[in-house]
């Protein structure tokens, strides 16, 4: 095998297979007793940036884009952003989530992700805004009034959300 900048990760045996020089004809390589060496090529650590992302509960978030630094020219390495410790879905609860990166592509095996020097934006899922409507009610002085039950608009099908009407102080 010929060494190159893009020799794949792994171990290669080093041995002498021929002698050169003006006096090489006076020598031969012993058939036994030689000690071969090993060349070990390790993965190149890549640094990366994952952009921050925002979404609203009930919508499938577009995760942050990623940029890799350090890929050798000519190599095919891709990146995929996912969530660390959560499933990427539309009903992801409101809150903040860590994004994570995985490598892919034909040459991904020659690389690892650096544990330092990275910038990792978070996914922030905001609470979904609801509106309500309360119907007017009438009561007569001296009787206990019954408040209306609010109608909420914007609740996702399958979610259970309710609200109760409250009286606000004010001038009559």
């Amino acid at each position: 095998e010929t060494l190159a900048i893009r020799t794949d990760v792994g171990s290669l045996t080093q041995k002498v297979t021929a002698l050169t020089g003006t006096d090489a004809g006076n020598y031969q390589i012993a058939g036994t007793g030689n000690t071969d060496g090993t060349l070990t090529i390790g993965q190149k650590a890549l640094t990366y940036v994952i952009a921050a992302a925002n979404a609203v509960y009930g919508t499938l978030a577009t995760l942050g884009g990623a940029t890799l630094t350090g890929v050798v020219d000519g190599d095919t390495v891709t990146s995929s952003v996912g969530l660390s410790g959560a499933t990427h879905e539309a009903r992801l609860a409101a809150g903040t989530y860590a994004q994570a990166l995985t490598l892919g592509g034909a040459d991904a095996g020659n690389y690892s992700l650096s544990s330092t020097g990275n910038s990792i934006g978070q996914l922030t899922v905001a609470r979904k805004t609801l509106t309500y409507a309360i119907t007017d009610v009438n009561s007569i002085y001296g009787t206990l009034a019954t408040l209306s039950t609010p109608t909420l608009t914007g609740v996702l099908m399958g979610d259970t959300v309710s609200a109760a009407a409250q009286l606000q102080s004010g001038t009559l």
Side-chain angles (χ1 to χ4, degrees):
E1 182 162 342
T2 302
L3 276 180
I5 291 173
R6 295 179 56 211
T7 299
D8 286 337
V9 166
S11 295
L12 300 169
T13 301
Q14 300 178 80
K15 58 174 48 191
V16 176
T17 58
L19 300 173
T20 59
T22 54
D23 296 316
N26 297 317
Y27 298 90
Q28 68 179 3
I29 299 170
T32 61
N34 300 312
T35 303
D36 294 337
T38 301
L39 167 63
T40 303
I41 300 175
Q43 293 178 313
K44 182 178 182 184
L46 301 177
T47 57
Y48 58 94
V49 173
I50 301 175
N54 296 293
V56 174
Y57 174 74
T59 60
L60 185 61
T62 299
L63 299 177
T67 304
L68 297 173
T69 301
V71 175
V72 174
D73 285 343
D75 276 2
T76 302
V77 179
T78 59
S79 61
S80 177
V81 177
L83 295 179
S84 178
T87 302
H88 183 213
E89 59 187 6
R91 300 273 175 115
L92 200 56
T96 303
Y97 298 87
Q99 298 182 103
L101 189 74
T102 55
L103 296 176
D107 298 307
N110 293 322
Y111 297 92
S112 64
L113 294 173
S114 177
S115 60
T116 62
N118 305 309
S119 177
I120 306 168
Q122 295 183 325
L123 168 64
T124 302
V125 178
R127 297 185 299 173
K128 183 173 175 46
T129 301
L130 303 178
T131 58
Y132 67 87
I134 300 176
T135 56
D136 294 339
V137 293
N138 295 308
S139 183
I140 297 175
Y141 177 76
T143 62
L144 182 60
T146 302
L147 299 178
S148 296
T149 300
T151 301
L152 299 173
T153 303
V155 175
L156 299 177
M157 186 178 295
D159 282 0
T160 303
V161 180
S162 60
Q166 302 288 320
L167 293 177
Q168 298 292 311
S169 60
T171 308
L172 296 177

